[in-house]
Amino acid sequence: MEKVVITIARQYGSGGRTIGQMLSEELGIPYYDKELLKKASEDSGIHERLFAGADEKLKNSPLLRITKKVYQGQLIPPESGGFTSMENLFNYQAKVIKELAEEESCIIIGRCADYVLRDYDNVLSVFVHAPEAYCIEQAKAKLSMPDKEIRKYIQKTDKERAEYYKHYTGREWTDARNYDLCLDSSKLGMQKCIEEIKAYMEVRFR
């Protein structure tokens, strides 16, 4: 297969983003994380700060957290009142993800990319996870706060990602059935996770 796309969903502190960056370097293919927000902004004409404000989280609304708006692929036109709605921000982001998957081999971090690309044969979906204690230790390098506060931050971030994922996919974020490969980074380490992904690619796409 000429083009292969690797989607990586990750718990905060598990190292999923780092694994994606390292894998990008080893394979020599592009890596997309927050770059997706800029591309979606350029494509839609909607200001990038609106995409950033809705990045992998729902607005602070109990109603949004209990409802679903499963992605169907439609775009809301500019003349509509819902053009800058959270749903349409997601729709444009998904549009960019699909275009990237059709154009090139790449690595895409988060943003429900595994679900958006679920019907693509050239996609390998990965979920990187780790125990809370490991995630806290890893997060210390980035967050200057006590362990108790880091734990709360991790729990809050993962909760937001899970709610976001369920809202747009109707699925549970941590359900292994959603992914081709689930990796515990605390047991394998970053490099071994990369080797596992590459080995899976070799078997599946050779």
Side-chain angles (χ1 to χ4, degrees), residues 38-206:
K38 182 177 181 180
K39 284 182 171 294
S41 174
E42 292 172 349
D43 187 64
S44 64
I46 299 172
H47 200 289
E48 189 175 343
R49 65 178 172 78
L50 291 180
F51 285 96
D55 189 26
E56 293 195 287
K57 59 186 175 183
L58 301 175
K59 288 182 178 179
N60 190 23
S61 166
L63 181 61
L64 280 177
R65 290 190 170 91
I66 62 174
T67 58
K68 299 175 186 176
K69 192 69 174 181
V70 177
Y71 171 70
Q72 301 293 331
Q74 303 93 337
L75 292 172
I76 300 173
E79 61 272 15
S80 170
F83 181 61
T84 58
S85 65
M86 288 191 64
E87 283 68 29
N88 210 36
L89 295 176
F90 183 87
N91 292 344
Y92 269 103
Q93 193 168 261
K95 177 176 180 285
V96 168
I97 288 171
K98 285 183 173 180
E99 289 173 348
L100 289 172
E102 292 164 1
E103 293 170 359
E104 61 184 9
S105 291
C106 62
I107 296 166
I108 300 176
I109 302 296
R111 282 96 190 168
C112 305
D114 58 282
Y115 182 82
V116 172
L117 301 176
R118 65 193 182 281
D119 295 326
Y120 285 59
D121 293 331
N122 64 326
V123 175
L124 165 58
S125 58
V126 180
F127 183 76
V128 180
H129 61 96
E132 184 180 74
Y134 177 87
C135 292
I136 290 173
E137 284 302 312
Q138 295 300 307
K140 283 182 180 179
K142 186 176 181 180
L143 304 175
S144 300
M145 57 180 74
D147 286 9
K148 183 178 180 180
E149 294 304 312
I150 291 177
R151 179 179 289 107
K152 288 181 179 178
Y153 184 84
I154 289 173
Q155 291 173 345
K156 177 177 180 290
T157 302
D158 284 349
K159 184 172 183 287
E160 288 175 342
R161 289 176 180 174
E163 290 171 342
Y164 179 90
Y165 188 87
K166 188 164 188 176
H167 184 75
Y168 291 111
T169 72
R171 299 178 176 182
E172 296 296 331
W173 181 53
T174 56
D175 189 338
R177 292 172 297 183
N178 298 331
Y179 310 97
D180 296 312
L181 198 59
C182 293
L183 302 172
D184 184 337
S185 55
S186 72
K187 294 179 179 178
L188 296 174
M190 306 293 179
Q191 189 59 46
K192 288 289 187 181
C193 284
I194 291 170
E195 290 175 14
E196 287 296 320
I197 294 171
K198 289 166 69 175
Y200 190 101
M201 289 174 63
E202 176 64 23
V203 171
R204 179 166 168 193
F205 298 121
R206 65 182 176 183

